[in-house]
Amino acid sequence: DAGITQSPRHKVTETGTPVTLRCHQTENHRYMYWYRQDPGHGLRLIHYSYGVKDTDKGEVSDGYSVSRSKTEDFLLTLESATSSQTSVYFCAIRDRTAQTAFFGQGTRLTVV
Amino acid sequence: DQQVKQNSPSLSVQEGRISILNCDYTNSMFDYFLWYKKYPAEGPTFLISISSIKDKNEDGRFTVFLNKSAKHLSLHIVPSQPGDSAVYFCAARGETSGSRLTFGEGTQLTVNP
């Protein structure tokens, strides 16, 4: 267990509502990532952070924003949820010198 | 464009035999490759990795081979066990900001008793 907690683990929301997913780490790792997993696409990077208040876009960032005000927390916000954002979302963390990233348990989000 | 591809969505093998999972990539700037294993309702867990300066890395029953000229890597599991049944993701790390990982689509491995 790499000390990553995602919340909530499951959420159902309506189209057009804002949603925030939280990733919390206890490892003090510098890098944090948000991925989504969809059948046939594997894991695709949404946004990542390389330090407090330092974030950048990944390959599927449209419709998502992130914030990192503390080392331990990385928030993913869907400004106005759409059905295409129904997915399983994974947070990952990586230490600056490490080669591997460690993943959380995931959040299953359903937009109806 | 898909920079990391796993062309086999599924693979089925008998217990005790070898499982070979394949992965192709297009970006020659990738410098590190990893395999992750994922069980249902869990997050991916790191399995084994290889640097681009090597051609083989072994860890117990798991061996990863890298063929840079072909831009191809493979994961060998010998002998395969029913507990190895999972989705396996190939990932590659580039020299970009954040050293983020690019993943393939995944291969569902089923090991039959």
Side-chain angles (χ1 to χ4, degrees), chain A residues 84-106:
Chain A
S84 65
Q85 294 175 311
T86 291
S87 186
V88 181
Y89 291 84
F90 289 100
C91 174
I93 64 174
R94 185 177 71 84
D95 188 41
R96 185 177 59 84
T97 59
Q99 304 291 6
T100 60
F102 296 95
F103 283 80
Q105 296 283 74

Side-chain angles (χ1 to χ4, degrees), chain B residues 27-95:
Chain B
N27 190 341
S28 58
M29 298 303 291
F30 288 141
D31 66 347
Y32 207 78
F33 302 89
L34 306 91
W35 285 94
Y36 281 81
K37 176 178 176 179
K38 186 184 179 305
Y39 292 117
E42 295 184 8
T45 56
F46 169 71
L47 188 58
I48 192 169
S49 62
I50 187 168
S51 165
S52 59
I53 63 174
K54 297 187 180 295
D55 55 19
K56 177 182 175 182
N57 187 28
E58 191 172 352
D59 183 2
R61 296 186 297 114
F62 303 91
T63 303
V64 57
F65 296 92
L66 176 63
N67 182 334
K68 284 187 67 177
S69 62
K71 294 190 175 65
H72 177 83
L73 67 156
S74 60
L75 174 68
H76 292 211
I77 307 173
V78 181
S80 300
Q81 300 173 353
D84 296 329
S85 297
V87 176
Y88 289 78
F89 290 102
C90 167
R93 191 191 75 178
E95 296 175 344

Side-chain angles (χ1 to χ4, degrees), chain A residues 22-25 28-30 32 49 51-54 67-75:
Chain A
R22 180 185 185 230
C23 178
H24 178 78
Q25 62 149 327
N28 201 35
H29 285 350
R30 177 179 177 183
M32 299 185 76
S49 169
V52 174
K53 298 192 190 306
D54 290 324
S67 65
R68 191 169 179 198
S69 58
K70 299 184 289 185
T71 298
E72 57 266 35
D73 289 324
F74 193 31
L75 304 180

Side-chain angles (χ1 to χ4, degrees), chain A residues 10 24 33 36 85 87 104 106 109:
Chain A
H10 302 272
H24 178 78
Y33 308 85
R36 59 179 288 176
Q85 294 175 311
S87 186
L109 176 68

Side-chain angles (χ1 to χ4, degrees), chain A residues 7-56:
Chain A
S7 59
R9 293 293 313 278
H10 302 272
K11 186 170 181 66
V12 180
T13 192
E14 293 185 350
T15 299
T17 60
V19 177
T20 295
L21 308 182
R22 180 185 185 230
C23 178
H24 178 78
Q25 62 149 327
T26 58
E27 306 297 318
N28 201 35
H29 285 350
R30 177 179 177 183
Y31 294 97
M32 299 185 76
Y33 308 85
W34 275 109
Y35 286 88
R36 59 179 288 176
Q37 183 196 0
D38 303 288
H41 292 279
L43 293 153
R44 293 180 292 175
L45 182 66
I46 305 171
H47 281 280
Y48 65 99
S49 169
Y50 44 95
V52 174
K53 298 192 190 306
D54 290 324
T55 65
D56 206 347

